[in-house]
Amino acid sequence: QVQLVESGGGLVQTGGSLRLSCAASGRTFSNYPMGWFRQAPRKEREFVAAITWNGDNTYYGNSVKGRFTISRDNAKNTVYLQMNSLKPEDTAVYYCATRRSYFGPILAASDYDYWGQGTQVTVSS
């Protein structure tokens, strides 16, 4: 059973930084891509970032490019999301996710099969 547990959310002022972590268990972490998504109240789940199994390729949503960085440590079974220059519009519940198979698209929520419970990020103005 794949389990994903996010941590690191909280309240931060505009312009501040946070680093989210997602610890994975239940299978060989290093074989699979990972993604981060977010969902604000009354909005659809939005793609934030994704990373391939070995970390060689990363992808970002337009709204976070240049401010957020996704990375992974396969030895620790953990994926990270470093968030800098935070804005009030970044306020959302942030979810990490992974897919059942090794290959395939990784830019949409429908591409993923397993999800964490989410961690709240609130950016005050």
Side-chain angles (χ1 to χ4, degrees):
Q1 180 76 8
V2 176
Q3 288 191 317
L4 303 172
V5 179
E6 302 96 336
S7 60
L11 175 64
V12 64
Q13 290 185 333
T14 296
S17 298
L18 282 174
R19 188 176 82 152
L20 305 184
S21 300
C22 172
S25 62
R27 66 177 185 181
T28 305
F29 174 78
S30 58
N31 288 350
Y32 300 92
M34 299 293 296
W36 284 99
F37 289 78
R38 66 187 182 186
Q39 189 164 18
R42 297 174 298 282
K43 291 190 176 181
E44 292 189 356
R45 194 162 293 193
E46 176 190 9
F47 171 72
V48 174
I51 188 167
T52 52
W53 66 275
N54 57 2
D56 281 356
N57 294 293
T58 57
Y59 307 88
Y60 296 94
N62 288 335
S63 60
V64 306
K65 279 181 183 176
R67 300 187 298 123
F68 290 13
T69 303
I70 188 172
S71 61
R72 65 190 297 161
D73 184 340
N74 285 344
K76 294 183 178 180
N77 291 349
T78 301
V79 63
Y80 304 98
L81 185 68
Q82 178 66 44
M83 305 186 295
N84 298 330
S85 302
L86 283 162
K87 306 174 182 179
E89 50 264 45
D90 294 318
T91 295
V93 178
Y94 283 70
Y95 299 91
C96 71
T98 189
R99 52 181 296 126
R100 185 177 294 116
S101 59
Y102 301 138
F103 302 111
I106 55 173
L107 303 184
S110 58
D111 297 331
Y112 292 83
D113 305 293
Y114 304 105
W115 295 83
Q117 82 290 348
T119 186
Q120 176 71 46
V121 171
T122 302
V123 184
S124 63
S125 56

